[in-house]
Amino acid sequence: KFTPDGLRRAKRLKFIGHAAGSVVAVVHEDVFDAGITVTNANKPLAQSTAEAAVAFMLAGAWRLKHYASRLQAGGWSDNHNETVLGLQGKTVGLIGYGEISRHVIRLLQGFQVHFLLYSRHCSAEEAAALGAELCSLEELLARSDIVSLHSTWTPRTEGMIGRSELRRIRDGAVFVNTARAAIVEEDALLEELRTGRFSAVLDVYHQEPPAASHPLLQLPNVLCLPHIGGFHHGFKSNLGAFVAQDLLRFTLGQPCLGAITKETYRRLTPK
């Protein structure tokens, strides 16, 4: 990590590029007072995570785990008495505003969904330009057919989705988490999911990997994935290339597309 002491010694250092997401693990906040440009590869990484989030929304809305398990057990479907939530025309609530949320909105355009957005960093005008309705967290949870978590894990957001918030999720909804598990109170989530009121698709956990006996992995209404958001080969191979292109832009005196400011640094995941 570039510590304050290291930065004082690095008299010629002008550019730090991180071929991943959060730069908190590699640079101290003092870097922004040293006149050093810091960039990361969050933009291509966000595209991959957004694609995963949409895939998880579809998997939850179509109850893919339920029907795959039934078929493996020798059963079949009954389209006369059963149905699925689906995505077409539904209300999708996005918690958190950033690159991932913007890509999710773009990817879901063909489904004619209504977007709700909760964020402390987005104005109503910005939300409207994206085609989303800015609202409170409580309203989003109560109105959404699909709730997708995209907030950054910070001391302020840790445990933000607790028992009272989870109880506001409507019956039959789908809760998707591709962000960080620490934003959600795990015991409260387990309590609500055990009632069967709503389902969940989870890609992140408080302990990774979770034990094979973890109760979340045993619930029939929960689809658990092993933190695969960001796996997409094309996007993954582009992370280093994106940072290298930013280095080229820097040497040419052009703006860096992945530039991090002190303000955005303070909103990044610390781990």
Side-chain angles (χ1 to χ4, degrees):
K1 184 169 183 175
F2 289 89
T3 63
D5 182 60
L7 291 171
R8 282 191 293 270
R9 297 167 182 267
K11 303 297 184 183
R12 298 170 60 193
L13 182 61
K14 296 298 179 185
F15 178 95
I16 297 173
H18 184 46
S22 175
V23 299
V24 176
V26 295
V27 295
H28 189 273
E29 187 176 322
D30 286 10
V31 72
F32 300 101
D33 298 323
I36 298 171
T37 295
V38 180
T39 73
N40 70 358
N42 188 57
K43 287 183 181 292
L45 191 62
Q47 293 179 42
S48 178
T49 304
E51 186 175 307
V54 171
F56 299 163
M57 289 179 196
L58 283 164
W62 277 83
R63 303 179 69 195
L64 297 189
K65 177 184 178 180
H66 168 78
Y67 287 111
S69 297
R70 180 189 291 185
L71 184 60
Q72 289 177 328
W76 195 245
S77 62
D78 181 0
N79 60 9
H80 295 292
N81 299 299
E82 294 180 314
T83 187
V84 296
L85 178 66
L87 266 179
Q88 192 74 26
K90 297 301 185 292
T91 297
V92 175
L94 304 175
I95 302 174
Y97 171 62
E99 292 282 349
I100 298 173
S101 294
R102 288 192 287 271
H103 285 302
V104 167
I105 291 173
R106 178 178 57 83
L107 291 170
L108 288 179
Q109 288 303 314
F111 291 92
Q112 289 82 49
V113 304
H114 178 65
F115 293 104
L116 299 179
L117 176 65
Y118 168 72
S119 172
R120 292 187 292 267
H121 309 291
C122 180
S123 67
E125 292 73 22
E126 286 180 284
L130 289 169
E133 175 188 347
L134 195 66
C135 65
S136 67
L137 177 60
E138 292 75 19
E139 185 178 356
L140 182 149
L141 294 169
R143 291 174 54 193
S144 298
D145 299 299
I146 297 173
V147 176
S148 192
L149 184 57
H150 301 289
S151 293
T152 303
W153 172 30
T154 66
R156 188 173 183 177
T157 62
E158 185 164 333
M160 179 178 72
I161 309 296
R163 186 165 277 101
S164 62
E165 288 77 22
L166 291 164
R167 285 176 177 170
R168 291 179 182 272
I169 295 178
R170 66 197 308 176
D171 292 359
V174 179
F175 176 72
V176 177
N177 189 359
T178 55
R180 285 290 190 270
I183 303 172
V184 185
E185 291 183 9
E186 186 174 63
D187 290 344
L189 180 62
L190 269 167
E191 180 181 317
E192 285 299 314
L193 287 171
R194 280 170 172 156
T195 68
R197 285 198 316 106
F198 62 88
S199 60
V201 184
L202 307 174
D203 194 38
V204 289
Y205 310 90
H206 284 255
Q207 179 66 43
E208 295 189 352
S213 59
H214 195 290
L216 279 173
L217 275 62
Q218 317 306 319
L219 293 175
N221 57 329
V222 182
L223 173 59
C224 293
L225 289 308
H227 205 148
I228 61 173
F231 262 27
H232 190 297
H233 174 71
F235 293 128
K236 197 170 184 180
S237 62
N238 283 341
L239 301 184
F242 183 86
V243 172
Q245 287 297 315
D246 253 359
L247 176 57
L248 177 60
R249 294 184 188 96
F250 174 79
T251 61
L252 295 174
Q254 300 172 356
C256 294
L257 299 183
I260 304 296
T261 65
K262 183 183 287 190
E263 180 186 6
T264 55
Y265 178 91
R266 290 173 174 171
R267 301 206 306 260
L268 294 174
T269 297
K271 296 182 181 179

